Amino acid sequence: MRCLRKKMSQVFSLTHRYKRTLQAMAAGTFLIYMTLVLYQNVYGYNGGNTVQELYNAAPADSAPQSVMAKRDNSGYDNSVSNDNVIHSVSGSVGVVHNNNGGIRKPIPYPTRFDRPGGDYGQLSVTGTPKPPTTELDDLLISVKTTKGYHETRLEMIVKTWYQLAKEQTWFFTDTDDQHYQKLTNNHMVNTNCSQGHFRKALCCKMGKEFEFFLDSAKKWWCHFDDDNYVNVPRLVKLLDDYSPTQDWYLGKPSISSPLEIFLDNTKSSTEVNKKVTFWFATGGAGFCISRALALKMLPIASSGKFVAIGDKIRFPDDVTMGFIVEHILNVPLTVVDAFHSHLEPMEFIRPETFHDQVSFSYARMRNEWNVVKVDGFDLKTDPKRIYSLHCYLYPFFSICPKTIKRR
């Protein structure tokens, strides 16, 4: 009997220990669960929401501030605040649209230290970086030129930035040129437009560029003049912040206020002269248009209609483009300060920011060259500073002096 009681006591003891072990495990599991819930609340894990959703849900007063840009030929911003609201957010760039018809200006997407509500730098333990939406081969870069500039301006382009985008860059000119046709691997397009720098010739070439893009399978069309230097890697990086499936008109104006023109209205006898106001991106700095926007332009501007619109408003190609996009299609210009034309002082672009710029230009003005200030070749060899700029950015090219240090 004593032996039986002893065995029953041992069984009861084991059962009690097992029960205590189960209770301890349950308490531990509950503690881990509560720790994870608390960690989620503190560090912003929200069950799969993206940074974009968190940003969109943030209070309005925590959004980045912006202003409507008013730009003059000096290249400075004379900006004023004017009822700005967040218009849309695409990729990693927020865009502000002025309610009074102003231009759109990209604003930097908040960094992980700026985002409303705290640090959202790590939203998911298993999250991966956003893959690039735009690569170099998604671009069609068109350069407008003319016969008289083949051996000067075109020569510089072919030896410098064209080498970074040989397959993506096409030259639109007004004559056959077998020499440069060979150098560019048959990327010279004879538009058969008139030679010269007047409205009809300019609109004719721009129309050909537009139609060439429509016939391609590219996601982006970027136009530049033959006096532009294009920082190709920076251009690709810029476009990766925008979606080609949305309407985008990227560039920079060269005037301080929207252009005002008066149109003859033949449909109404009471409204002979109708005032139209719109912004346009200056062609001398370059601009980019998404495929989505180009497809909306197709019935309006293809098949020679671009020239007809230019004739109607009596303005050149870049103004005609702005008229079609902003006025007819009601898609506002998005200002990108990294585009530069010769209408602004190149010397104020600091060398340490060269890598951040998309385009540069040059011009002979009042017996002086309006060019970037950069070391490299001597002024006699490179008065326009294009070779020197290229070697500053990409010193590994064979044309660059060995004395230039890699940046």
Side-chain angles (χ1 to χ4, degrees), residues 211-238:
E211 292 173 2
F212 194 89
F213 171 66
L214 289 176
D215 291 338
S216 74
K218 303 296 185 178
K219 297 178 181 179
W220 289 97
W221 167 37
C222 294
H223 159 90
F224 295 97
D225 283 351
D226 56 8
D227 59 354
N228 282 134
Y229 177 91
V230 182
N231 188 3
V232 177
R234 179 68 182 92
L235 176 62
V236 176
K237 183 179 179 181
L238 167 73

PDB file of all heavy atoms in Angstrom, residues 211-238:
ATOM      1  N   GLU A 211       6.481  62.339 -84.373  1.00  0.00           N
ATOM      2  CA  GLU A 211       5.959  61.196 -85.106  1.00  0.00           C
ATOM      3  C   GLU A 211       6.936  60.021 -85.071  1.00  0.00           C
ATOM      4  O   GLU A 211       6.516  58.856 -85.032  1.00  0.00           O
ATOM      5  CB  GLU A 211       5.647  61.602 -86.543  1.00  0.00           C
ATOM      6  CG  GLU A 211       4.473  62.567 -86.636  1.00  0.00           C
ATOM      7  CD  GLU A 211       4.268  63.116 -88.040  1.00  0.00           C
ATOM      8  OE1 GLU A 211       5.020  62.702 -88.958  1.00  0.00           O
ATOM      9  OE2 GLU A 211       3.354  63.942 -88.228  1.00  0.00           O
ATOM     10  N   PHE A 212       8.232  60.319 -85.070  1.00  0.00           N
ATOM     11  CA  PHE A 212       9.245  59.259 -84.971  1.00  0.00           C
ATOM     12  C   PHE A 212       9.114  58.542 -83.631  1.00  0.00           C
ATOM     13  O   PHE A 212       9.222  57.313 -83.561  1.00  0.00           O
ATOM     14  CB  PHE A 212      10.637  59.891 -85.107  1.00  0.00           C
ATOM     15  CG  PHE A 212      11.741  58.904 -85.345  1.00  0.00           C
ATOM     16  CD1 PHE A 212      12.099  58.512 -86.627  1.00  0.00           C
ATOM     17  CD2 PHE A 212      12.438  58.366 -84.269  1.00  0.00           C
ATOM     18  CE1 PHE A 212      13.118  57.590 -86.838  1.00  0.00           C
ATOM     19  CE2 PHE A 212      13.462  57.451 -84.475  1.00  0.00           C
ATOM     20  CZ  PHE A 212      13.804  57.065 -85.763  1.00  0.00           C
ATOM     21  N   PHE A 213       8.863  59.295 -82.581  1.00  0.00           N
ATOM     22  CA  PHE A 213       8.668  58.690 -81.261  1.00  0.00           C
ATOM     23  C   PHE A 213       7.413  57.819 -81.235  1.00  0.00           C
ATOM     24  O   PHE A 213       7.412  56.718 -80.677  1.00  0.00           O
ATOM     25  CB  PHE A 213       8.575  59.775 -80.192  1.00  0.00           C
ATOM     26  CG  PHE A 213       8.168  59.263 -78.840  1.00  0.00           C
ATOM     27  CD1 PHE A 213       8.985  58.410 -78.108  1.00  0.00           C
ATOM     28  CD2 PHE A 213       6.941  59.622 -78.287  1.00  0.00           C
ATOM     29  CE1 PHE A 213       8.602  57.925 -76.863  1.00  0.00           C
ATOM     30  CE2 PHE A 213       6.551  59.142 -77.042  1.00  0.00           C
ATOM     31  CZ  PHE A 213       7.388  58.298 -76.333  1.00  0.00           C
ATOM     32  N   LEU A 214       6.334  58.304 -81.834  1.00  0.00           N
ATOM     33  CA  LEU A 214       5.100  57.530 -81.859  1.00  0.00           C
ATOM     34  C   LEU A 214       5.300  56.183 -82.541  1.00  0.00           C
ATOM     35  O   LEU A 214       4.698  55.179 -82.152  1.00  0.00           O
ATOM     36  CB  LEU A 214       4.000  58.315 -82.583  1.00  0.00           C
ATOM     37  CG  LEU A 214       3.430  59.538 -81.867  1.00  0.00           C
ATOM     38  CD1 LEU A 214       2.430  60.253 -82.772  1.00  0.00           C
ATOM     39  CD2 LEU A 214       2.763  59.151 -80.555  1.00  0.00           C
ATOM     40  N   ASP A 215       6.145  56.149 -83.562  1.00  0.00           N
ATOM     41  CA  ASP A 215       6.394  54.912 -84.293  1.00  0.00           C
ATOM     42  C   ASP A 215       7.336  53.970 -83.556  1.00  0.00           C
ATOM     43  O   ASP A 215       7.524  52.828 -83.984  1.00  0.00           O
ATOM     44  CB  ASP A 215       6.979  55.228 -85.677  1.00  0.00           C
ATOM     45  CG  ASP A 215       5.959  55.894 -86.596  1.00  0.00           C
ATOM     46  OD1 ASP A 215       4.752  55.727 -86.346  1.00  0.00           O
ATOM     47  OD2 ASP A 215       6.374  56.583 -87.546  1.00  0.00           O
ATOM     48  N   SER A 216       7.963  54.457 -82.507  1.00  0.00           N
ATOM     49  CA  SER A 216       8.879  53.625 -81.730  1.00  0.00           C
ATOM     50  C   SER A 216       8.107  52.920 -80.620  1.00  0.00           C
ATOM     51  O   SER A 216       6.913  53.165 -80.413  1.00  0.00           O
ATOM     52  CB  SER A 216       9.998  54.475 -81.116  1.00  0.00           C
ATOM     53  OG  SER A 216       9.511  55.247 -80.027  1.00  0.00           O
ATOM     54  N   ALA A 217       8.829  52.063 -79.887  1.00  0.00           N
ATOM     55  CA  ALA A 217       8.205  51.391 -78.741  1.00  0.00           C
ATOM     56  C   ALA A 217       8.736  51.963 -77.432  1.00  0.00           C
ATOM     57  O   ALA A 217       8.613  51.335 -76.378  1.00  0.00           O
ATOM     58  CB  ALA A 217       8.481  49.890 -78.812  1.00  0.00           C
ATOM     59  N   LYS A 218       9.300  53.155 -77.490  1.00  0.00           N
ATOM     60  CA  LYS A 218       9.940  53.750 -76.320  1.00  0.00           C
ATOM     61  C   LYS A 218       8.907  54.333 -75.358  1.00  0.00           C
ATOM     62  O   LYS A 218       7.803  54.703 -75.740  1.00  0.00           O
ATOM     63  CB  LYS A 218      10.917  54.854 -76.751  1.00  0.00           C
ATOM     64  CG  LYS A 218      11.989  54.374 -77.727  1.00  0.00           C
ATOM     65  CD  LYS A 218      12.912  53.344 -77.103  1.00  0.00           C
ATOM     66  CE  LYS A 218      14.038  52.962 -78.045  1.00  0.00           C
ATOM     67  NZ  LYS A 218      14.978  52.003 -77.436  1.00  0.00           N
ATOM     68  N   LYS A 219       9.317  54.413 -74.095  1.00  0.00           N
ATOM     69  CA  LYS A 219       8.426  54.926 -73.051  1.00  0.00           C
ATOM     70  C   LYS A 219       8.518  56.444 -72.901  1.00  0.00           C
ATOM     71  O   LYS A 219       7.571  57.086 -72.453  1.00  0.00           O
ATOM     72  CB  LYS A 219       8.770  54.284 -71.706  1.00  0.00           C
ATOM     73  CG  LYS A 219       8.584  52.784 -71.654  1.00  0.00           C
ATOM     74  CD  LYS A 219       8.996  52.231 -70.295  1.00  0.00           C
ATOM     75  CE  LYS A 219       8.834  50.725 -70.226  1.00  0.00           C
ATOM     76  NZ  LYS A 219       9.268  50.181 -68.901  1.00  0.00           N
ATOM     77  N   TRP A 220       9.677  57.022 -73.250  1.00  0.00           N
ATOM     78  CA  TRP A 220       9.914  58.458 -73.046  1.00  0.00           C
ATOM     79  C   TRP A 220      10.511  59.068 -74.305  1.00  0.00           C
ATOM     80  O   TRP A 220      11.354  58.468 -74.956  1.00  0.00           O
ATOM     81  CB  TRP A 220      10.874  58.701 -71.883  1.00  0.00           C
ATOM     82  CG  TRP A 220      10.292  58.416 -70.544  1.00  0.00           C
ATOM     83  CD1 TRP A 220      10.409  57.272 -69.803  1.00  0.00           C
ATOM     84  CD2 TRP A 220       9.501  59.314 -69.747  1.00  0.00           C
ATOM     85  NE1 TRP A 220       9.750  57.386 -68.609  1.00  0.00           N
ATOM     86  CE2 TRP A 220       9.184  58.631 -68.542  1.00  0.00           C
ATOM     87  CE3 TRP A 220       9.041  60.609 -69.924  1.00  0.00           C
ATOM     88  CZ2 TRP A 220       8.421  59.213 -67.539  1.00  0.00           C
ATOM     89  CZ3 TRP A 220       8.273  61.185 -68.923  1.00  0.00           C
ATOM     90  CH2 TRP A 220       7.978  60.498 -67.750  1.00  0.00           C
ATOM     91  N   TRP A 221      10.076  60.292 -74.593  1.00  0.00           N
ATOM     92  CA  TRP A 221      10.689  61.094 -75.654  1.00  0.00           C
ATOM     93  C   TRP A 221      11.306  62.324 -75.010  1.00  0.00           C
ATOM     94  O   TRP A 221      10.621  63.099 -74.342  1.00  0.00           O
ATOM     95  CB  TRP A 221       9.640  61.511 -76.685  1.00  0.00           C
ATOM     96  CG  TRP A 221      10.120  62.576 -77.635  1.00  0.00           C
ATOM     97  CD1 TRP A 221      11.371  62.705 -78.166  1.00  0.00           C
ATOM     98  CD2 TRP A 221       9.349  63.666 -78.161  1.00  0.00           C
ATOM     99  NE1 TRP A 221      11.439  63.797 -79.000  1.00  0.00           N
ATOM    100  CE2 TRP A 221      10.203  64.401 -79.014  1.00  0.00           C
ATOM    101  CE3 TRP A 221       8.029  64.079 -78.003  1.00  0.00           C
ATOM    102  CZ2 TRP A 221       9.776  65.532 -79.698  1.00  0.00           C
ATOM    103  CZ3 TRP A 221       7.601  65.197 -78.687  1.00  0.00           C
ATOM    104  CH2 TRP A 221       8.468  65.918 -79.533  1.00  0.00           C
ATOM    105  N   CYS A 222      12.607  62.505 -75.225  1.00  0.00           N
ATOM    106  CA  CYS A 222      13.314  63.682 -74.714  1.00  0.00           C
ATOM    107  C   CYS A 222      13.935  64.438 -75.876  1.00  0.00           C
ATOM    108  O   CYS A 222      14.763  63.887 -76.611  1.00  0.00           O
ATOM    109  CB  CYS A 222      14.386  63.280 -73.697  1.00  0.00           C
ATOM    110  SG  CYS A 222      13.728  62.554 -72.182  1.00  0.00           S
ATOM    111  N   HIS A 223      13.531  65.670 -76.036  1.00  0.00           N
ATOM    112  CA  HIS A 223      14.048  66.532 -77.107  1.00  0.00           C
ATOM    113  C   HIS A 223      15.145  67.442 -76.569  1.00  0.00           C
ATOM    114  O   HIS A 223      15.011  68.001 -75.468  1.00  0.00           O
ATOM    115  CB  HIS A 223      12.923  67.397 -77.678  1.00  0.00           C
ATOM    116  CG  HIS A 223      13.427  68.621 -78.382  1.00  0.00           C
ATOM    117  ND1 HIS A 223      13.732  68.635 -79.732  1.00  0.00           N
ATOM    118  CD2 HIS A 223      13.713  69.876 -77.921  1.00  0.00           C
ATOM    119  CE1 HIS A 223      14.184  69.837 -80.058  1.00  0.00           C
ATOM    120  NE2 HIS A 223      14.170  70.611 -78.979  1.00  0.00           N
ATOM    121  N   PHE A 224      16.208  67.617 -77.369  1.00  0.00           N
ATOM    122  CA  PHE A 224      17.266  68.573 -77.038  1.00  0.00           C
ATOM    123  C   PHE A 224      17.704  69.281 -78.312  1.00  0.00           C
ATOM    124  O   PHE A 224      17.499  68.773 -79.419  1.00  0.00           O
ATOM    125  CB  PHE A 224      18.467  67.865 -76.392  1.00  0.00           C
ATOM    126  CG  PHE A 224      18.159  67.249 -75.057  1.00  0.00           C
ATOM    127  CD1 PHE A 224      17.834  65.906 -74.947  1.00  0.00           C
ATOM    128  CD2 PHE A 224      18.167  68.026 -73.897  1.00  0.00           C
ATOM    129  CE1 PHE A 224      17.523  65.334 -73.719  1.00  0.00           C
ATOM    130  CE2 PHE A 224      17.861  67.464 -72.664  1.00  0.00           C
ATOM    131  CZ  PHE A 224      17.540  66.122 -72.577  1.00  0.00           C
ATOM    132  N   ASP A 225      18.307  70.450 -78.136  1.00  0.00           N
ATOM    133  CA  ASP A 225      18.877  71.178 -79.262  1.00  0.00           C
ATOM    134  C   ASP A 225      20.333  70.773 -79.454  1.00  0.00           C
ATOM    135  O   ASP A 225      20.947  70.155 -78.576  1.00  0.00           O
ATOM    136  CB  ASP A 225      18.771  72.686 -79.033  1.00  0.00           C
ATOM    137  CG  ASP A 225      17.364  73.213 -79.289  1.00  0.00           C
ATOM    138  OD1 ASP A 225      16.523  72.432 -79.800  1.00  0.00           O
ATOM    139  OD2 ASP A 225      17.104  74.389 -78.991  1.00  0.00           O
ATOM    140  N   ASP A 226      20.905  71.151 -80.584  1.00  0.00           N
ATOM    141  CA  ASP A 226      22.287  70.753 -80.870  1.00  0.00           C
ATOM    142  C   ASP A 226      23.315  71.583 -80.103  1.00  0.00           C
ATOM    143  O   ASP A 226      24.523  71.343 -80.234  1.00  0.00           O
ATOM    144  CB  ASP A 226      22.579  70.795 -82.375  1.00  0.00           C
ATOM    145  CG  ASP A 226      22.307  72.161 -82.994  1.00  0.00           C
ATOM    146  OD1 ASP A 226      22.033  73.126 -82.243  1.00  0.00           O
ATOM    147  OD2 ASP A 226      22.355  72.275 -84.232  1.00  0.00           O
ATOM    148  N   ASP A 227      22.860  72.555 -79.300  1.00  0.00           N
ATOM    149  CA  ASP A 227      23.795  73.276 -78.427  1.00  0.00           C
ATOM    150  C   ASP A 227      23.621  72.843 -76.970  1.00  0.00           C
ATOM    151  O   ASP A 227      24.010  73.563 -76.059  1.00  0.00           O
ATOM    152  CB  ASP A 227      23.631  74.789 -78.558  1.00  0.00           C
ATOM    153  CG  ASP A 227      22.228  75.277 -78.213  1.00  0.00           C
ATOM    154  OD1 ASP A 227      21.345  74.420 -77.973  1.00  0.00           O
ATOM    155  OD2 ASP A 227      22.008  76.496 -78.185  1.00  0.00           O
ATOM    156  N   ASN A 228      23.041  71.661 -76.777  1.00  0.00           N
ATOM    157  CA  ASN A 228      22.900  71.095 -75.431  1.00  0.00           C
ATOM    158  C   ASN A 228      23.940  70.019 -75.179  1.00  0.00           C
ATOM    159  O   ASN A 228      24.273  69.249 -76.080  1.00  0.00           O
ATOM    160  CB  ASN A 228      21.518  70.459 -75.234  1.00  0.00           C
ATOM    161  CG  ASN A 228      20.415  71.461 -74.980  1.00  0.00           C
ATOM    162  OD1 ASN A 228      19.353  71.374 -75.566  1.00  0.00           O
ATOM    163  ND2 ASN A 228      20.654  72.429 -74.101  1.00  0.00           N
ATOM    164  N   TYR A 229      24.429  69.963 -73.952  1.00  0.00           N
ATOM    165  CA  TYR A 229      25.160  68.801 -73.473  1.00  0.00           C
ATOM    166  C   TYR A 229      24.202  68.057 -72.552  1.00  0.00           C
ATOM    167  O   TYR A 229      23.633  68.647 -71.625  1.00  0.00           O
ATOM    168  CB  TYR A 229      26.426  69.187 -72.697  1.00  0.00           C
ATOM    169  CG  TYR A 229      27.149  67.968 -72.137  1.00  0.00           C
ATOM    170  CD1 TYR A 229      28.141  67.337 -72.872  1.00  0.00           C
ATOM    171  CD2 TYR A 229      26.791  67.428 -70.900  1.00  0.00           C
ATOM    172  CE1 TYR A 229      28.779  66.201 -72.382  1.00  0.00           C
ATOM    173  CE2 TYR A 229      27.415  66.289 -70.405  1.00  0.00           C
ATOM    174  CZ  TYR A 229      28.399  65.684 -71.153  1.00  0.00           C
ATOM    175  OH  TYR A 229      29.026  64.551 -70.669  1.00  0.00           O
ATOM    176  N   VAL A 230      24.015  66.762 -72.783  1.00  0.00           N
ATOM    177  CA  VAL A 230      23.065  65.976 -72.008  1.00  0.00           C
ATOM    178  C   VAL A 230      23.816  65.013 -71.099  1.00  0.00           C
ATOM    179  O   VAL A 230      24.622  64.202 -71.575  1.00  0.00           O
ATOM    180  CB  VAL A 230      22.113  65.189 -72.927  1.00  0.00           C
ATOM    181  CG1 VAL A 230      21.098  64.408 -72.093  1.00  0.00           C
ATOM    182  CG2 VAL A 230      21.397  66.134 -73.888  1.00  0.00           C
ATOM    183  N   ASN A 231      23.558  65.109 -69.830  1.00  0.00           N
ATOM    184  CA  ASN A 231      24.123  64.186 -68.842  1.00  0.00           C
ATOM    185  C   ASN A 231      23.213  62.955 -68.808  1.00  0.00           C
ATOM    186  O   ASN A 231      22.270  62.885 -68.025  1.00  0.00           O
ATOM    187  CB  ASN A 231      24.199  64.867 -67.477  1.00  0.00           C
ATOM    188  CG  ASN A 231      24.950  64.045 -66.455  1.00  0.00           C
ATOM    189  OD1 ASN A 231      25.471  62.972 -66.765  1.00  0.00           O
ATOM    190  ND2 ASN A 231      25.014  64.527 -65.228  1.00  0.00           N
ATOM    191  N   VAL A 232      23.503  62.001 -69.660  1.00  0.00           N
ATOM    192  CA  VAL A 232      22.602  60.872 -69.907  1.00  0.00           C
ATOM    193  C   VAL A 232      22.261  60.072 -68.651  1.00  0.00           C
ATOM    194  O   VAL A 232      21.077  59.812 -68.388  1.00  0.00           O
ATOM    195  CB  VAL A 232      23.167  59.961 -71.009  1.00  0.00           C
ATOM    196  CG1 VAL A 232      22.266  58.741 -71.214  1.00  0.00           C
ATOM    197  CG2 VAL A 232      23.320  60.734 -72.311  1.00  0.00           C
ATOM    198  N   PRO A 233      23.235  59.659 -67.839  1.00  0.00           N
ATOM    199  CA  PRO A 233      22.861  58.892 -66.636  1.00  0.00           C
ATOM    200  C   PRO A 233      21.925  59.653 -65.707  1.00  0.00           C
ATOM    201  O   PRO A 233      21.012  59.073 -65.112  1.00  0.00           O
ATOM    202  CB  PRO A 233      24.222  58.617 -65.966  1.00  0.00           C
ATOM    203  CG  PRO A 233      25.197  58.645 -67.084  1.00  0.00           C
ATOM    204  CD  PRO A 233      24.702  59.714 -68.000  1.00  0.00           C
ATOM    205  N   ARG A 234      22.133  60.954 -65.590  1.00  0.00           N
ATOM    206  CA  ARG A 234      21.248  61.758 -64.729  1.00  0.00           C
ATOM    207  C   ARG A 234      19.849  61.850 -65.329  1.00  0.00           C
ATOM    208  O   ARG A 234      18.847  61.859 -64.604  1.00  0.00           O
ATOM    209  CB  ARG A 234      21.836  63.162 -64.549  1.00  0.00           C
ATOM    210  CG  ARG A 234      20.982  64.077 -63.686  1.00  0.00           C
ATOM    211  CD  ARG A 234      20.950  63.613 -62.236  1.00  0.00           C
ATOM    212  NE  ARG A 234      20.108  64.460 -61.419  1.00  0.00           N
ATOM    213  CZ  ARG A 234      18.818  64.246 -61.194  1.00  0.00           C
ATOM    214  NH1 ARG A 234      18.206  63.195 -61.744  1.00  0.00           N
ATOM    215  NH2 ARG A 234      18.127  65.069 -60.426  1.00  0.00           N
ATOM    216  N   LEU A 235      19.757  61.923 -66.639  1.00  0.00           N
ATOM    217  CA  LEU A 235      18.461  61.962 -67.306  1.00  0.00           C
ATOM    218  C   LEU A 235      17.678  60.692 -67.035  1.00  0.00           C
ATOM    219  O   LEU A 235      16.478  60.736 -66.719  1.00  0.00           O
ATOM    220  CB  LEU A 235      18.658  62.152 -68.815  1.00  0.00           C
ATOM    221  CG  LEU A 235      17.390  62.108 -69.675  1.00  0.00           C
ATOM    222  CD1 LEU A 235      16.438  63.234 -69.302  1.00  0.00           C
ATOM    223  CD2 LEU A 235      17.751  62.165 -71.156  1.00  0.00           C
ATOM    224  N   VAL A 236      18.337  59.552 -67.140  1.00  0.00           N
ATOM    225  CA  VAL A 236      17.668  58.272 -66.883  1.00  0.00           C
ATOM    226  C   VAL A 236      17.204  58.203 -65.425  1.00  0.00           C
ATOM    227  O   VAL A 236      16.083  57.765 -65.131  1.00  0.00           O
ATOM    228  CB  VAL A 236      18.606  57.098 -67.206  1.00  0.00           C
ATOM    229  CG1 VAL A 236      17.949  55.765 -66.842  1.00  0.00           C
ATOM    230  CG2 VAL A 236      18.993  57.108 -68.680  1.00  0.00           C
ATOM    231  N   LYS A 237      18.054  58.656 -64.524  1.00  0.00           N
ATOM    232  CA  LYS A 237      17.710  58.645 -63.104  1.00  0.00           C
ATOM    233  C   LYS A 237      16.511  59.550 -62.834  1.00  0.00           C
ATOM    234  O   LYS A 237      15.628  59.212 -62.030  1.00  0.00           O
ATOM    235  CB  LYS A 237      18.907  59.096 -62.273  1.00  0.00           C
ATOM    236  CG  LYS A 237      18.684  59.041 -60.772  1.00  0.00           C
ATOM    237  CD  LYS A 237      19.921  59.478 -60.018  1.00  0.00           C
ATOM    238  CE  LYS A 237      19.689  59.450 -58.505  1.00  0.00           C
ATOM    239  NZ  LYS A 237      20.901  59.913 -57.766  1.00  0.00           N
ATOM    240  N   LEU A 238      16.458  60.696 -63.493  1.00  0.00           N
ATOM    241  CA  LEU A 238      15.320  61.605 -63.334  1.00  0.00           C
ATOM    242  C   LEU A 238      14.023  60.939 -63.770  1.00  0.00           C
ATOM    243  O   LEU A 238      13.016  60.960 -63.052  1.00  0.00           O
ATOM    244  CB  LEU A 238      15.548  62.879 -64.157  1.00  0.00           C
ATOM    245  CG  LEU A 238      14.326  63.781 -64.335  1.00  0.00           C
ATOM    246  CD1 LEU A 238      13.997  64.514 -63.050  1.00  0.00           C
ATOM    247  CD2 LEU A 238      14.531  64.761 -65.481  1.00  0.00           C
TER     248      LEU A 238
END
